[in-house]
Coordinates of all heavy atoms in Angstrom, one line a residue:
M259 N 0.8 -1.2 0.0 CA 0.0 0.0 0.0 C 0.8 1.3 0.0 O 0.5 2.2 -0.6 CB -0.9 -0.1 1.2 CG -1.9 1.0 1.3 SD -3.1 0.8 0.0 CE -4.1 2.2 0.2
R260 N 2.0 1.2 0.7 CA 2.9 2.4 0.7 C 3.4 2.8 -0.6 O 3.6 3.9 -0.9 CB 4.1 2.1 1.7 CG 3.8 2.4 3.0 CD 5.1 2.3 3.8 NE 4.9 2.0 5.2 CZ 4.8 3.0 6.1 NH1 5.1 4.2 5.8 NH2 4.5 2.7 7.3
A261 N 3.7 1.8 -1.5 CA 4.2 2.1 -2.8 C 3.2 2.9 -3.7 O 3.7 3.6 -4.5 CB 4.6 0.8 -3.6
V262 N 2.0 2.7 -3.4 CA 1.0 3.4 -4.2 C 0.5 4.7 -3.5 O -0.3 5.5 -4.1 CB -0.3 2.5 -4.4 CG1 -1.2 3.0 -5.5 CG2 0.2 1.1 -4.7
S263 N 1.0 5.0 -2.4 CA 0.5 6.2 -1.6 C 0.9 7.5 -2.4 O 0.2 8.5 -2.2 CB 1.1 6.2 -0.2 OG 2.5 6.3 -0.2
G264 N 1.9 7.5 -3.2 CA 2.3 8.7 -3.8 C 1.4 9.0 -5.1 O 1.4 10.1 -5.6
L265 N 0.6 8.1 -5.5 CA -0.3 8.2 -6.6 C -1.5 9.2 -6.3 O -2.2 9.6 -7.3 CB -0.8 6.9 -7.1 CG 0.2 6.0 -7.7 CD1 -0.4 4.7 -8.1 CD2 1.0 6.6 -8.9
W266 N -1.8 9.5 -5.1 CA -2.9 10.3 -4.8 C -2.8 11.7 -5.4 O -3.8 12.4 -5.6 CB -3.1 10.4 -3.3 CG -2.1 11.2 -2.6 CD1 -1.0 10.8 -2.0 CD2 -2.1 12.6 -2.3 NE1 -0.3 11.8 -1.5 CE2 -0.9 13.0 -1.7 CE3 -3.0 13.6 -2.6 CZ2 -0.6 14.2 -1.3 CZ3 -2.8 14.9 -2.2 CH2 -1.6 15.2 -1.6
R267 N -1.6 12.1 -5.7 CA -1.4 13.5 -6.3 C -2.0 13.6 -7.7 O -2.3 14.7 -8.1 CB 0.0 13.8 -6.3 CG 0.6 14.0 -4.9 CD 2.1 14.3 -4.9 NE 2.6 14.7 -3.7 CZ 3.4 13.8 -3.0 NH1 3.7 12.7 -3.4 NH2 3.8 14.2 -1.8
W268 N -2.2 12.5 -8.4 CA -2.8 12.5 -9.7 C -4.3 12.3 -9.7 O -5.0 12.6 -10.8 CB -2.1 11.5 -10.6 CG -0.8 11.9 -11.2 CD1 -0.6 12.9 -12.1 CD2 0.5 11.4 -10.9 NE1 0.7 13.0 -12.4 CE2 1.4 12.2 -11.7 CE3 1.0 10.4 -10.0 CZ2 2.8 11.9 -11.7 CZ3 2.3 10.2 -10.0 CH2 3.2 11.0 -10.8
R269 N -4.8 11.8 -8.7 CA -6.3 11.5 -8.7 C -7.1 12.8 -8.6 O -6.5 13.9 -8.1 CB -6.7 10.7 -7.5 CG -6.2 9.3 -7.6 CD -6.7 8.4 -6.4 NE -6.4 9.1 -5.2 CZ -6.8 8.7 -4.0 NH1 -7.6 7.7 -3.9 NH2 -6.5 9.3 -2.9
R270 N -8.2 12.8 -9.1 CA -9.1 14.0 -8.9 C -9.6 14.0 -7.5 O -10.2 13.1 -7.0 CB -10.3 13.9 -9.8 CG -10.0 13.9 -11.3 CD -11.1 14.4 -12.1 NE -10.7 14.4 -13.5 CZ -10.2 15.4 -14.1 NH1 -9.9 16.5 -13.4 NH2 -9.8 15.4 -15.4
N271 N -9.3 15.2 -6.8 CA -9.6 15.3 -5.4 C -9.8 16.8 -5.2 O -9.0 17.6 -5.6 CB -8.5 14.7 -4.6 CG -8.8 14.7 -3.1 OD1 -9.7 15.5 -2.6 ND2 -8.1 13.9 -2.4
P272 N -10.9 17.2 -4.5 CA -11.1 18.6 -4.3 C -10.1 19.2 -3.4 O -9.8 20.4 -3.3 CB -12.5 18.7 -3.7 CG -12.8 17.3 -3.2 CD -12.0 16.4 -4.0
L273 N -9.4 18.4 -2.6 CA -8.3 18.9 -1.7 C -7.0 18.9 -2.3 O -6.0 19.5 -1.7 CB -8.3 18.0 -0.4 CG -9.6 17.9 0.4 CD1 -9.4 17.0 1.6 CD2 -10.0 19.3 0.9
R274 N -6.8 18.4 -3.5 CA -5.5 18.4 -4.2 C -5.2 19.8 -4.7 O -6.0 20.5 -5.4 CB -5.5 17.4 -5.4 CG -4.1 17.4 -6.0 CD -4.2 16.6 -7.3 NE -4.9 17.4 -8.3 CZ -5.3 17.0 -9.5 NH1 -5.1 15.8 -9.8 NH2 -5.9 17.8 -10.3
R275 N -4.0 20.3 -4.4 CA -3.6 21.6 -4.8 C -2.8 21.5 -6.1 O -2.4 20.4 -6.5 CB -2.7 22.3 -3.7 CG -3.4 22.5 -2.4 CD -2.4 22.9 -1.4 NE -1.4 21.9 -1.3 CZ -0.7 21.6 -0.2 NH1 -0.9 22.4 0.9 NH2 0.1 20.6 -0.1
A276 N -2.7 22.6 -6.8 CA -1.9 22.6 -8.1 C -0.5 22.3 -7.8 O 0.2 21.7 -8.6 CB -2.1 24.0 -8.7
T277 N 0.0 22.7 -6.6 CA 1.4 22.4 -6.3 C 1.6 20.9 -6.0 O 2.7 20.4 -6.2 CB 1.8 23.3 -5.0 OG1 0.9 22.9 -3.9 CG2 1.8 24.7 -5.3
D278 N 0.6 20.2 -5.6 CA 0.7 18.8 -5.4 C 0.9 18.1 -6.7 O 1.8 17.2 -6.8 CB -0.6 18.2 -4.7 CG -0.7 18.7 -3.3 OD1 0.3 19.0 -2.7 OD2 -1.9 18.6 -2.8
L279 N 0.2 18.5 -7.7 CA 0.3 17.9 -9.1 C 1.7 18.3 -9.6 O 2.4 17.5 -10.2 CB -0.8 18.4 -10.0 CG -0.9 17.8 -11.3 CD1 -1.1 16.3 -11.2 CD2 -2.0 18.4 -12.1
A280 N 2.1 19.5 -9.5 CA 3.5 19.9 -9.9 C 4.6 19.2 -9.3 O 5.5 18.7 -9.9 CB 3.6 21.4 -9.7
E281 N 4.4 18.9 -7.9 CA 5.4 18.2 -7.2 C 5.5 16.7 -7.7 O 6.5 16.1 -7.8 CB 5.0 18.2 -5.7 CG 6.0 17.4 -4.8 CD 5.6 17.4 -3.4 OE1 4.6 18.0 -3.0 OE2 6.3 16.7 -2.6
A282 N 4.3 16.1 -8.0 CA 4.3 14.8 -8.5 C 5.0 14.7 -9.8 O 5.7 13.7 -10.1 CB 2.8 14.3 -8.6
W283 N 4.7 15.6 -10.7 CA 5.4 15.6 -12.0 C 6.9 15.8 -11.9 O 7.7 15.2 -12.6 CB 4.8 16.6 -13.0 CG 3.5 16.1 -13.6 CD1 2.2 16.6 -13.3 CD2 3.3 15.0 -14.5 NE1 1.3 15.8 -14.0 CE2 1.9 14.9 -14.8 CE3 4.2 14.2 -15.1 CZ2 1.4 13.9 -15.6 CZ3 3.7 13.2 -16.0 CH2 2.3 13.1 -16.2
L284 N 7.3 16.7 -11.0 CA 8.7 16.9 -10.8 C 9.4 15.7 -10.2 O 10.5 15.4 -10.6 CB 8.9 18.1 -9.8 CG 10.3 18.6 -9.6 CD1 10.9 19.1 -10.8 CD2 10.3 19.7 -8.5
A285 N 8.7 15.0 -9.3 CA 9.3 13.8 -8.7 C 9.4 12.7 -9.8 O 10.4 12.0 -9.8 CB 8.4 13.3 -7.6
L286 N 8.4 12.6 -10.6 CA 8.5 11.6 -11.7 C 9.6 11.9 -12.7 O 10.4 11.0 -13.1 CB 7.1 11.5 -12.5 CG 7.1 10.6 -13.6 CD1 7.3 9.1 -13.1 CD2 5.8 10.7 -14.4
T287 N 9.8 13.2 -13.0 CA 10.8 13.6 -13.9 C 12.2 13.3 -13.3 O 13.1 12.8 -13.9 CB 10.7 15.1 -14.2 OG1 9.4 15.4 -14.8 CG2 11.8 15.6 -15.2
A288 N 12.4 13.6 -12.0 CA 13.6 13.4 -11.3 C 13.9 11.9 -11.3 O 15.1 11.4 -11.5 CB 13.5 13.9 -9.9
L289 N 12.9 11.1 -11.0 CA 13.1 9.6 -11.0 C 13.5 9.1 -12.4 O 14.5 8.3 -12.5 CB 11.8 8.9 -10.6 CG 11.9 7.4 -10.6 CD1 12.8 6.9 -9.5 CD2 10.5 6.8 -10.4
L290 N 12.9 9.6 -13.5 CA 13.3 9.2 -14.8 C 14.7 9.6 -15.1 O 15.4 8.9 -15.8 CB 12.3 9.7 -15.8 CG 10.9 9.0 -15.8 CD1 10.0 9.7 -16.8 CD2 11.0 7.5 -16.1
L291 N 15.1 10.8 -14.7 CA 16.4 11.3 -15.0 C 17.5 10.5 -14.3 O 18.5 10.1 -14.8 CB 16.6 12.8 -14.6 CG 16.0 13.8 -15.5 CD1 16.1 15.2 -14.9 CD2 16.7 13.8 -16.8
V292 N 17.2 10.1 -13.0 CA 18.2 9.3 -12.3 C 18.2 7.9 -12.9 O 19.3 7.3 -13.0 CB 17.7 9.2 -10.8 CG1 18.5 8.1 -10.1 CG2 18.0 10.6 -10.1
A293 N 17.0 7.3 -13.3 CA 17.0 6.0 -13.8 C 17.5 5.8 -15.2 O 18.1 4.8 -15.6 CB 15.6 5.4 -13.8
L294 N 17.3 6.9 -16.0 CA 17.7 6.7 -17.5 C 18.9 7.6 -17.9 O 19.8 7.1 -18.5 CB 16.5 7.1 -18.3 CG 15.3 6.2 -18.2 CD1 14.1 6.8 -19.0 CD2 15.6 4.8 -18.5
A295 N 18.9 8.9 -17.5 CA 19.9 9.8 -17.9 C 21.3 9.5 -17.2 O 22.3 9.6 -17.9 CB 19.5 11.2 -17.7
A296 N 21.3 9.2 -16.0 CA 22.5 9.0 -15.3 C 23.3 7.9 -15.8 O 24.5 8.0 -16.1 CB 22.3 8.8 -13.8
P297 N 22.7 6.7 -16.1 CA 23.5 5.7 -16.7 C 24.0 6.0 -18.1 O 25.1 5.7 -18.5 CB 22.6 4.4 -16.8 CG 21.6 4.7 -15.7 CD 21.4 6.2 -15.6
L298 N 23.2 6.7 -18.9 CA 23.6 7.1 -20.2 C 24.7 8.1 -20.2 O 25.7 7.9 -20.9 CB 22.4 7.8 -20.9 CG 22.7 8.3 -22.3 CD1 23.0 7.1 -23.2 CD2 21.5 9.1 -22.9
I299 N 24.7 9.0 -19.2 CA 25.8 10.0 -19.1 C 27.1 9.2 -18.6 O 28.2 9.4 -19.1 CB 25.5 11.0 -18.1 CG1 24.4 12.0 -18.7 CG2 26.7 11.8 -17.6 CD1 23.8 12.9 -17.6
G300 N 26.9 8.2 -17.8 CA 28.0 7.4 -17.4 C 28.7 6.6 -18.5 O 29.9 6.5 -18.7
V301 N 27.8 6.0 -19.4 CA 28.3 5.3 -20.5 C 29.0 6.2 -21.5 O 30.1 5.9 -22.0 CB 27.2 4.5 -21.2 CG1 27.6 4.0 -22.6 CG2 26.7 3.4 -20.4
L302 N 28.4 7.4 -21.8 CA 29.1 8.3 -22.7 C 30.4 8.8 -22.2 O 31.4 8.9 -23.0 CB 28.1 9.5 -23.0 CG 26.9 9.1 -23.8 CD1 26.0 10.3 -23.9 CD2 27.2 8.5 -25.2
S303 N 30.5 9.2 -20.9 CA 31.7 9.7 -20.4 C 32.8 8.6 -20.3 O 34.0 8.8 -20.6 CB 31.5 10.3 -19.0 OG 31.1 9.4 -18.1
G304 N 32.4 7.4 -20.0 CA 33.3 6.3 -20.0 C 33.8 5.9 -21.3 O 35.1 5.7 -21.5
S305 N 33.0 6.0 -22.3 CA 33.4 5.8 -23.7 C 34.4 6.9 -24.2 O 35.4 6.6 -24.8 CB 32.2 5.8 -24.6 OG 32.6 5.6 -25.9
A306 N 34.1 8.1 -23.8 CA 35.0 9.2 -24.2 C 36.4 9.0 -23.5 O 37.4 9.2 -24.2 CB 34.4 10.6 -23.8
A307 N 36.4 8.6 -22.3 CA 37.6 8.4 -21.6 C 38.4 7.3 -22.2 O 39.6 7.3 -22.4 CB 37.4 8.1 -20.1
H308 N 37.7 6.2 -22.5 CA 38.3 5.1 -23.2 C 39.0 5.4 -24.5 O 40.1 5.0 -24.8 CB 37.3 3.9 -23.3 CG 37.9 2.7 -24.0 ND1 38.8 1.9 -23.4 CD2 37.6 2.2 -25.3 CE1 39.1 0.9 -24.3 NE2 38.4 1.1 -25.4
T309 N 38.2 6.2 -25.3 CA 38.7 6.6 -26.6 C 40.0 7.5 -26.5 O 41.0 7.3 -27.2 CB 37.7 7.4 -27.4 OG1 36.5 6.5 -27.5 CG2 38.1 7.8 -28.7
T310 N 40.0 8.4 -25.5 CA 41.2 9.2 -25.3 C 42.4 8.4 -24.8 O 43.5 8.7 -25.3 CB 40.8 10.3 -24.2 OG1 39.7 11.0 -24.7 CG2 41.9 11.2 -24.0
L311 N 42.1 7.5 -23.9 CA 43.2 6.7 -23.4 C 43.8 5.8 -24.6 O 45.0 5.6 -24.6 CB 42.8 5.8 -22.2 CG 42.6 6.6 -20.9 CD1 41.9 5.7 -19.9 CD2 43.9 7.2 -20.4
Q312 N 43.0 5.2 -25.4 CA 43.4 4.4 -26.5 C 44.2 5.2 -27.5 O 45.3 4.8 -28.0 CB 42.2 3.7 -27.2 CG 41.6 2.6 -26.4 CD 42.6 1.5 -26.2 OE1 43.4 1.1 -27.0 NE2 42.6 1.0 -24.9
R313 N 43.8 6.5 -27.7 CA 44.6 7.4 -28.6 C 46.0 7.7 -28.0 O 47.0 7.7 -28.7 CB 43.8 8.7 -28.8 CG 44.4 9.5 -29.9 CD 43.6 10.8 -30.1 NE 42.2 10.5 -30.3 CZ 41.2 11.2 -29.6 NH1 41.4 12.0 -28.7 NH2 39.9 10.8 -29.8
S314 N 46.0 7.9 -26.7 CA 47.3 8.1 -26.0 C 48.2 6.9 -26.1 O 49.4 7.0 -26.4 CB 47.0 8.4 -24.5 OG 48.2 8.5 -23.8
V315 N 47.6 5.7 -26.0 CA 48.4 4.5 -26.1 C 49.0 4.3 -27.5 O 50.1 4.0 -27.7 CB 47.6 3.2 -25.6 CG1 48.2 1.9 -26.1 CG2 47.3 3.2 -24.2
R316 N 48.2 4.6 -28.5 CA 48.6 4.5 -29.9 C 49.8 5.5 -30.1 O 50.8 5.1 -30.8 CB 47.5 4.7 -30.9 CG 46.6 3.5 -31.1 CD 45.6 3.7 -32.2 NE 44.4 3.1 -31.8 CZ 43.3 3.8 -31.4 NH1 43.4 5.1 -31.2 NH2 42.2 3.2 -31.0
A317 N 49.6 6.7 -29.6 CA 50.7 7.7 -29.8 C 52.0 7.2 -29.1 O 53.1 7.4 -29.7 CB 50.3 9.0 -29.3
Q318 N 51.9 6.6 -28.0 CA 53.1 6.1 -27.2 C 53.7 5.0 -28.0 O 54.9 4.9 -28.1 CB 52.7 5.7 -25.8 CG 52.4 6.9 -24.9 CD 52.0 6.5 -23.6 OE1 52.0 5.3 -23.2 NE2 51.5 7.4 -22.8
H319 N 52.9 4.1 -28.6 CA 53.5 3.0 -29.3 C 54.2 3.4 -30.5 O 55.2 2.9 -30.9 CB 52.3 2.0 -29.8 CG 52.0 1.0 -28.7 ND1 52.6 -0.1 -28.5 CD2 51.0 1.1 -27.7 CE1 52.1 -0.8 -27.5 NE2 51.1 -0.1 -27.0
Q320 N 53.7 4.5 -31.2 CA 54.4 5.0 -32.4 C 55.7 5.7 -32.0 O 56.6 5.7 -32.9 CB 53.5 6.0 -33.1 CG 52.3 5.3 -33.8 CD 51.3 6.3 -34.4 OE1 51.5 7.5 -34.2 NE2 50.3 5.7 -35.1
S321 N 55.8 6.3 -30.9 CA 57.0 7.1 -30.6 C 58.0 6.3 -29.8 O 59.1 6.8 -29.6 CB 56.6 8.3 -29.7 OG 56.1 7.9 -28.4
R322 N 57.7 5.0 -29.5 CA 58.7 4.2 -28.7 C 59.1 3.0 -29.6 O 58.4 2.6 -30.5 CB 58.1 3.7 -27.4 CG 57.8 4.8 -26.5 CD 57.1 4.4 -25.3 NE 56.8 5.5 -24.4 CZ 56.1 5.5 -23.3 NH1 55.7 4.3 -22.9 NH2 55.9 6.6 -22.6
H323 N 60.2 2.5 -29.3 CA 60.7 1.4 -30.0 C 61.6 0.4 -29.1 O 62.1 0.9 -28.1 CB 61.6 1.8 -31.3 CG 62.8 2.7 -30.8 ND1 62.6 4.0 -30.6 CD2 64.0 2.4 -30.6 CE1 63.7 4.5 -30.2 NE2 64.6 3.6 -30.2
L324 N 61.6 -0.8 -29.5 CA 62.3 -1.8 -28.7 C 63.8 -1.8 -29.1 O 64.1 -1.8 -30.2 CB 61.7 -3.2 -28.9 CG 62.3 -4.3 -28.1 CD1 62.1 -4.1 -26.6 CD2 61.7 -5.6 -28.6
V325 N 64.7 -1.7 -28.1 CA 66.1 -1.8 -28.3 C 66.7 -2.8 -27.4 O 66.2 -3.1 -26.3 CB 66.9 -0.4 -28.1 CG1 66.4 0.6 -29.1 CG2 66.7 0.1 -26.7
T326 N 67.9 -3.4 -27.7 CA 68.5 -4.4 -26.9 C 69.8 -3.7 -26.3 O 70.6 -3.1 -27.0 CB 69.0 -5.6 -27.7 OG1 67.8 -6.1 -28.3 CG2 69.7 -6.6 -26.8
A327 N 69.9 -3.7 -25.0 CA 71.0 -3.1 -24.3 C 72.0 -4.1 -23.9 O 71.6 -5.3 -23.6 CB 70.5 -2.3 -23.1
T328 N 73.3 -3.8 -23.9 CA 74.3 -4.6 -23.4 C 74.9 -4.1 -22.1 O 75.3 -2.9 -22.1 CB 75.4 -4.8 -24.4 OG1 74.8 -5.2 -25.6 CG2 76.5 -5.8 -24.0
V329 N 75.0 -4.9 -21.0 CA 75.5 -4.4 -19.8 C 77.1 -4.4 -19.9 O 77.7 -5.4 -20.3 CB 75.1 -5.3 -18.6 CG1 75.8 -4.9 -17.3 CG2 73.6 -5.3 -18.5
V330 N 77.7 -3.2 -19.7 CA 79.1 -3.1 -19.7 C 79.7 -3.5 -18.4 O 80.7 -4.3 -18.4 CB 79.5 -1.6 -20.1 CG1 81.0 -1.4 -20.1 CG2 78.9 -1.2 -21.5
R331 N 79.2 -2.9 -17.3 CA 79.7 -3.3 -16.0 C 78.7 -2.9 -15.0 O 77.8 -2.0 -15.2 CB 81.1 -2.7 -15.7 CG 81.1 -1.2 -15.6 CD 82.5 -0.6 -15.3 NE 82.5 0.8 -15.6 CZ 82.3 1.7 -14.5 NH1 82.1 1.3 -13.4 NH2 82.4 3.0 -14.8
E332 N 78.8 -3.4 -13.8 CA 77.9 -3.1 -12.7 C 78.5 -1.9 -12.0 O 79.7 -1.8 -11.8 CB 77.8 -4.3 -11.7 CG 76.7 -4.1 -10.7 CD 76.4 -5.4 -9.9 OE1 76.7 -6.5 -10.5 OE2 75.9 -5.3 -8.8
L333 N 77.7 -1.0 -11.5 CA 78.1 0.2 -10.8 C 78.0 0.0 -9.3 O 77.3 -0.9 -8.8 CB 77.3 1.4 -11.3 CG 77.3 1.8 -12.8 CD1 76.4 2.9 -13.1 CD2 78.8 2.2 -13.1
D334 N 78.5 1.0 -8.6 CA 78.4 0.9 -7.1 C 77.0 1.1 -6.7 O 76.1 1.4 -7.5 CB 79.2 2.1 -6.5 CG 80.7 1.9 -6.8 OD1 81.1 0.8 -7.0 OD2 81.5 2.9 -6.8
A335 N 76.7 0.9 -5.4 CA 75.3 1.0 -4.9 C 74.8 2.4 -5.2 O 75.5 3.4 -5.2 CB 75.4 0.7 -3.4
A336 N 73.5 2.5 -5.3 CA 72.8 3.7 -5.6 C 72.8 4.6 -4.4 O 72.8 4.2 -3.3 CB 71.4 3.4 -6.1
P337 N 72.8 5.9 -4.7 CA 72.7 6.9 -3.5 C 71.3 6.7 -2.9 O 70.4 6.2 -3.5 CB 72.9 8.3 -4.2 CG 72.6 8.0 -5.6 CD 73.0 6.6 -5.9
P338 N 71.1 7.2 -1.7 CA 69.8 7.1 -1.1 C 68.7 7.6 -2.0 O 68.9 8.7 -2.6 CB 69.9 7.9 0.2 CG 71.4 8.1 0.5 CD 72.1 8.0 -0.9
A339 N 67.6 7.0 -2.0 CA 66.5 7.4 -3.0 C 65.8 8.6 -2.4 O 65.5 8.7 -1.2 CB 65.6 6.2 -3.1
T340 N 65.5 9.5 -3.3 CA 64.7 10.6 -2.9 C 63.3 10.5 -3.6 O 62.4 11.3 -3.2 CB 65.3 11.9 -3.4 OG1 65.5 11.9 -4.8 CG2 66.6 12.2 -2.7
D341 N 63.1 9.6 -4.5 CA 61.9 9.3 -5.1 C 61.0 8.5 -4.2 O 61.3 7.5 -3.7 CB 62.1 8.5 -6.4 CG 60.8 8.4 -7.2 OD1 59.7 8.9 -6.8 OD2 60.9 7.8 -8.3
P342 N 59.8 9.0 -3.8 CA 58.9 8.4 -2.9 C 58.5 7.0 -3.4 O 58.3 6.1 -2.5 CB 57.7 9.2 -2.8 CG 58.0 10.5 -3.4 CD 59.2 10.3 -4.3
E343 N 58.5 6.7 -4.7 CA 58.2 5.3 -5.1 C 59.2 4.4 -4.9 O 59.0 3.2 -4.8 CB 57.9 5.4 -6.7 CG 56.6 6.2 -7.0 CD 56.3 6.2 -8.5 OE1 57.0 5.5 -9.2 OE2 55.3 6.8 -8.8
L344 N 60.5 4.8 -4.8 CA 61.6 3.9 -4.5 C 61.9 3.7 -3.1 O 62.7 2.8 -2.7 CB 62.9 4.4 -5.3 CG 62.8 4.5 -6.8 CD1 64.1 5.1 -7.3 CD2 62.5 3.2 -7.4
L345 N 61.4 4.5 -2.2 CA 61.7 4.4 -0.8 C 61.2 3.1 -0.2 O 61.9 2.6 0.7 CB 61.1 5.6 0.0 CG 61.8 7.0 -0.3 CD1 61.0 8.1 0.4 CD2 63.2 6.9 0.1
G346 N 60.1 2.7 -0.6 CA 59.5 1.5 0.0 C 59.9 0.2 -0.6 O 59.8 -0.9 0.0
G347 N 60.4 0.2 -1.8 CA 60.7 -1.1 -2.5 C 62.2 -1.2 -2.8 O 63.1 -0.4 -2.5
D348 N 62.5 -2.3 -3.5 CA 63.9 -2.6 -3.9 C 64.1 -1.9 -5.2 O 63.5 -2.0 -6.2 CB 64.0 -4.1 -4.2 CG 65.4 -4.5 -4.6 OD1 66.3 -3.8 -4.3 OD2 65.5 -5.5 -5.3
A349 N 65.2 -1.0 -5.2 CA 65.5 -0.2 -6.3 C 66.3 -1.0 -7.3 O 66.6 -0.5 -8.4 CB 66.3 1.0 -5.8
G350 N 66.7 -2.2 -7.1 CA 67.5 -3.0 -8.0 C 68.9 -2.6 -8.0 O 69.4 -1.9 -7.1
S351 N 69.7 -3.1 -9.0 CA 71.1 -2.8 -9.0 C 71.3 -1.8 -10.2 O 70.5 -1.8 -11.1 CB 71.9 -4.0 -9.2 OG 71.5 -4.7 -10.4
R352 N 72.4 -1.0 -10.1 CA 72.7 -0.1 -11.1 C 73.8 -0.6 -12.0 O 74.7 -1.3 -11.5 CB 73.2 1.2 -10.5 CG 72.1 1.9 -9.7 CD 72.6 3.2 -9.0 NE 73.9 3.7 -9.6 CZ 74.3 4.9 -9.6 NH1 73.5 5.8 -9.0 NH2 75.4 5.3 -10.1
V353 N 73.7 -0.4 -13.3 CA 74.6 -0.9 -14.3 C 74.9 0.1 -15.3 O 74.1 1.1 -15.5 CB 74.1 -2.2 -15.0 CG1 73.9 -3.4 -14.1 CG2 72.9 -1.9 -15.8
L354 N 76.1 0.0 -16.0 CA 76.4 0.9 -17.1 C 76.1 0.0 -18.3 O 76.5 -1.1 -18.5 CB 77.9 1.2 -17.1 CG 78.4 2.1 -18.3 CD1 77.7 3.4 -18.3 CD2 79.9 2.2 -18.2
A355 N 75.2 0.6 -19.2 CA 74.8 -0.2 -20.4 C 75.0 0.6 -21.7 O 75.1 1.8 -21.6 CB 73.3 -0.5 -20.2
R356 N 75.1 -0.1 -22.8 CA 75.2 0.5 -24.1 C 74.1 0.0 -25.0 O 73.8 -1.2 -24.9 CB 76.6 0.3 -24.7 CG 77.7 0.9 -23.9 CD 78.9 1.2 -24.8 NE 80.1 1.6 -24.0 CZ 80.2 2.8 -23.6 NH1 79.4 3.8 -24.0 NH2 81.3 3.2 -22.9
W357 N 73.6 0.8 -25.9 CA 72.7 0.3 -26.9 C 72.8 1.2 -28.1 O 73.4 2.3 -28.1 CB 71.3 0.3 -26.4 CG 70.8 1.7 -25.9 CD1 70.1 2.6 -26.7 CD2 70.9 2.3 -24.7 NE1 69.8 3.7 -26.0 CE2 70.3 3.5 -24.7 CE3 71.4 1.8 -23.4 CZ2 70.2 4.4 -23.6 CZ3 71.4 2.7 -22.4 CH2 70.7 4.0 -22.5
T358 N 72.2 0.7 -29.2 CA 72.2 1.5 -30.5 C 70.9 2.2 -30.7 O 69.8 1.5 -30.6 CB 72.5 0.5 -31.7 OG1 73.7 -0.2 -31.4 CG2 72.6 1.3 -32.9
A359 N 70.9 3.4 -30.9 CA 69.7 4.2 -31.2 C 69.2 3.9 -32.6 O 69.9 3.3 -33.4 CB 70.0 5.7 -31.1
P360 N 67.9 4.2 -32.8 CA 67.3 3.9 -34.1 C 68.1 4.5 -35.3 O 68.1 4.0 -36.4 CB 65.9 4.5 -34.1 CG 65.7 4.7 -32.6 CD 67.0 4.8 -31.9
D361 N 68.8 5.6 -35.1 CA 69.5 6.3 -36.2 C 70.9 5.7 -36.3 O 71.7 6.2 -37.1 CB 69.6 7.8 -35.9 CG 70.3 8.2 -34.6 OD1 70.7 7.3 -33.9 OD2 70.4 9.4 -34.4
G362 N 71.3 4.7 -35.5 CA 72.6 4.0 -35.7 C 73.6 4.5 -34.7 O 74.7 3.9 -34.7
T363 N 73.4 5.6 -34.0 CA 74.4 6.1 -33.0 C 74.4 5.3 -31.8 O 73.4 4.7 -31.4 CB 74.1 7.6 -32.7 OG1 72.8 7.7 -32.1 CG2 74.2 8.5 -33.9
G364 N 75.5 5.2 -31.1 CA 75.6 4.4 -29.9 C 75.9 5.0 -28.7 O 76.1 6.1 -28.3

């Protein structure tokens, strides 16, 4: 019975005010916007973000290339890390390496 209690605003009733009818239509409009428009806006914004990220990935793939490096020698221990990302984990070892650039320089 509670679910139908809001329908009294649309029935013909001498005690119903014009503001009651306006409130009922406004509530119905708000419900439809939340139920239909919000998911649609979410899908559209998600699609736009996905397209932009894919374009960025394609640009990065075009500007980068795979090279093979050769380790010349191992270097001394690294100085204390100032990068917050390296403070908590293993920074690995430092090496001197050589590789050939795409234009043939080394």
